[in-house]
């Protein structure tokens, strides 16, 4: 299970290319899963995670605002 929380709340989350909502997401164990989080005005976050069987991985993401030039 991936337990995901994100800020800003309006961010778009995709896991392995599919839209998901924050909260608990059941995933296959021992496989890599790519999480992408994006929101207008913020730097996009992308990272891969692997969750051992029977475990829960907590993921807390705080997107950083993009810098204005």
């Amino acid at each position: 299970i991936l337990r995901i929380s994100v800020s800003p709340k309006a961010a778009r989350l995709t896991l392995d290319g599919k839209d998901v909502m924050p909260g608990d997401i059941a995933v296959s164990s021992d496989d890599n899963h790519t999480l992408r989080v994006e929101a207008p005005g913020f730097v996009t976050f992308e990272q891969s995670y692997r969750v051992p069987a029977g475990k829960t991985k907590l993921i807390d993401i705080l997107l950083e605002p993009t810098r204005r030039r």
Side-chain angles (χ1 to χ4, degrees), residues 22-36:
D24 288 359
I25 302 169
V27 295
S28 56
S29 60
D30 297 323
D31 288 331
N32 284 326
H33 299 281
T34 302
L35 177 65
R36 182 178 175 93

Side-chain angles (χ1 to χ4, degrees), residues 8-58:
K9 298 287 184 195
R12 178 176 180 239
L13 287 75
T14 58
L15 183 66
D16 299 332
K18 297 179 182 177
D19 288 334
V20 295
M21 300 294 293
D24 288 359
I25 302 169
V27 295
S28 56
S29 60
D30 297 323
D31 288 331
N32 284 326
H33 299 281
T34 302
L35 177 65
R36 182 178 175 93
V37 182
E38 53 193 342
F42 292 85
V43 177
T44 297
F45 172 91
E46 184 171 301
Q47 183 150 348
S48 291
Y49 296 93
R50 182 179 290 223
V51 183
K55 300 290 182 181
T56 298
K57 182 151 195 83
L58 305 177

